[in-house]
Amino acid sequence: MDSSGAERIPSEGAGVVTGSLVVIGNFDGVHRGHQALFADAVTEAERRGLRPMALTFAPHPALALGRTPPAMLTTSPRKTELIQRHSPALQVAVERFDEAFSKLTPEDFARTVLAQRLRAAVVVVGDNFRFGHRRAGDLRELARLGERFGFEANSHALVGDEGGTWSSTRIREEIAKGALDEAARMLSRPHMVTGRVVQGDRRGRTIGFPTCNLAEVMEALPPFGVYATLVDRVSADGHAAVLAGGVANLGRRPTVKDPAAPPTLEVHLFDHDEDLYGCQLRVHLIARLRPEKRFSGLDELRAQIAADATAARQVLEAWTPDPAAGGAWR
């Protein structure tokens, strides 16, 4: 692992098994479309006697190209975790996408990454796949280079529903408008954000509702408001375990702070009062309870938080940890 959290692709001589079927993509969100691709890749690799692999990139390629990347659905470690949860046979290779990598020609990429490092016999990409410096290569070019370097290039049909193709862009749009149920349907799980617990103003404790204030949240955020949540704690080695259910406020807390202040995400955990400063938490956004609003004072705010907590507990009653998540909620 490097400082970005990306796992380097094994180089030549590192014991790479000859003969891989490689699917390539950003795979942000590891949504139902990606899951269908991975399942087909594993089946086809088994049929051909090849090792199934997923090649993805970190950080987002837009950063190396000087552009603003879209809000992410999953961090790189979470992406790898989800890919391997859905398709345990699939080996995940994460290539660091930096300036030097962005300048590889299509030929360099096909030769050094696909043919030499991954020993690709079959490469599967989307119909709109572009690669190499200035996105010069496309599926036709990949097929031409495959003939030269000894691999077959195929495209995978996009899948979706009556609303369109399942895509990371479509899911981000649903999250941005607060349609968490629709986002969860396409993801096959609730959308989740991660953050580190930092010192807040401790006002929640004085009114009977202590909160964990989260910093360094990188994932896409829904509209300001109050949410029913399920929370995992993530250990230093990346293992997540169930912590508690809770109710979260995302916004500027207009009752107690300047409305122009930067937005914050704070979570009140049910039946849990452990000191969590410095801990990494995963917050699964289960349902939006109401928009953020300003109250006349702390008494009215306290009463509303109590009502929100009751509503959140009712929403979360039916939820249990996912056996596939290794002790985490999801």
Side-chain angles (χ1 to χ4, degrees):
M1 302 286 283
D2 61 26
S3 59
S4 73
E7 176 187 346
R8 297 294 296 179
I9 296 172
S11 59
E12 291 183 80
V16 178
V17 177
T18 300
S20 300
L21 185 150
V22 183
V23 293
I24 306 176
N26 193 40
F27 305 133
D28 189 21
V30 193
H31 55 64
R32 291 173 66 185
H34 298 143
Q35 293 164 31
L37 167 62
F38 299 145
D40 288 349
V42 169
T43 299
E44 182 65 9
E46 184 176 299
R47 186 183 73 81
R48 295 185 182 223
L50 299 172
R51 176 184 57 179
M53 297 189 69
L55 172 61
T56 188
F57 310 96
H60 194 283
L63 288 173
L65 301 175
R67 301 197 300 264
T68 300
M72 68 174 66
L73 300 175
T74 45
T75 62
S76 184
R78 174 68 166 168
K79 185 193 306 182
T80 297
E81 173 192 336
L82 289 169
I83 292 173
Q84 294 183 324
R85 183 188 303 174
H86 287 289
S87 299
L90 202 63
Q91 179 179 335
V92 182
V94 184
E95 174 65 31
R96 181 171 177 79
F97 202 107
D98 54 18
E99 183 179 3
F101 185 81
S102 73
K103 291 182 178 179
L104 289 180
T105 66
E107 180 178 332
D108 288 339
F109 174 76
R111 182 182 67 252
T112 63
V113 176
L114 298 179
Q116 295 178 358
R117 296 190 201 175
L118 302 186
R119 298 289 193 263
V122 178
V123 177
V124 181
V125 297
D127 289 332
N128 59 350
F129 177 68
R130 308 290 298 198
F131 68 105
H133 187 48
R134 299 186 184 277
R135 295 167 52 85
D138 56 12
L139 178 58
R140 180 176 297 182
E141 177 69 0
L142 186 66
R144 187 186 69 80
L145 291 168
E147 291 179 0
R148 179 176 174 186
F149 295 121
F151 60 80
E152 175 185 327
N154 296 325
S155 63
H156 187 273
L158 299 176
V159 293
D161 55 20
E162 63 279 0
T165 299
W166 291 319
S167 71
S168 303
T169 298
R170 183 179 165 195
I171 294 168
R172 288 188 199 100
E173 291 171 350
E174 296 298 333
I175 292 169
K177 64 186 183 185
L180 294 181
D181 285 348
E182 181 63 10
R185 188 180 68 82
M186 290 187 281
L187 287 167
S188 75
R189 65 185 185 280
H191 177 53
M192 180 209 77
V193 300
T194 57
R196 182 174 56 86
V197 181
V198 297
Q199 185 80 44
D201 56 23
R202 303 180 69 86
R203 184 174 282 108
R205 189 171 295 276
T206 67
I207 62 173
F209 293 95
T211 61
C212 295
N213 294 270
L214 298 187
E216 303 167 8
V217 176
M218 297 180 288
E219 296 91 345
L221 292 172
F224 289 172
V226 176
Y227 293 85
T229 64
L230 298 170
V231 183
D232 296 320
R233 174 165 38 192
V234 184
S235 65
D237 64 1
H239 177 73
V242 165
L243 185 60
V247 60
N249 186 85
L250 170 64
R252 293 193 168 89
R253 299 188 296 169
T255 304
V256 297
K257 292 187 70 175
D258 181 349
T264 59
L265 175 62
E266 53 183 336
V267 186
H268 169 65
L269 300 175
F270 298 147
D271 310 315
H272 194 95
D273 196 26
E274 181 182 357
D275 182 354
L276 296 169
Y277 288 123
C279 291
Q280 192 81 6
L281 302 185
R282 290 179 175 175
V283 179
H284 306 268
L285 302 171
I286 305 303
R288 189 169 192 246
L289 302 177
R290 62 172 176 84
E292 187 177 47
K293 61 179 291 187
R294 183 181 180 89
F295 298 96
S296 60
L298 293 182
D299 288 343
E300 186 181 6
L301 174 62
R302 182 188 298 110
Q304 182 61 62
I305 295 175
D308 293 337
T310 298
R313 285 181 184 272
Q314 292 174 346
V315 168
L316 301 175
E317 278 181 348
W319 290 81
T320 57
D322 183 350
W329 281 111
R330 287 294 177 270

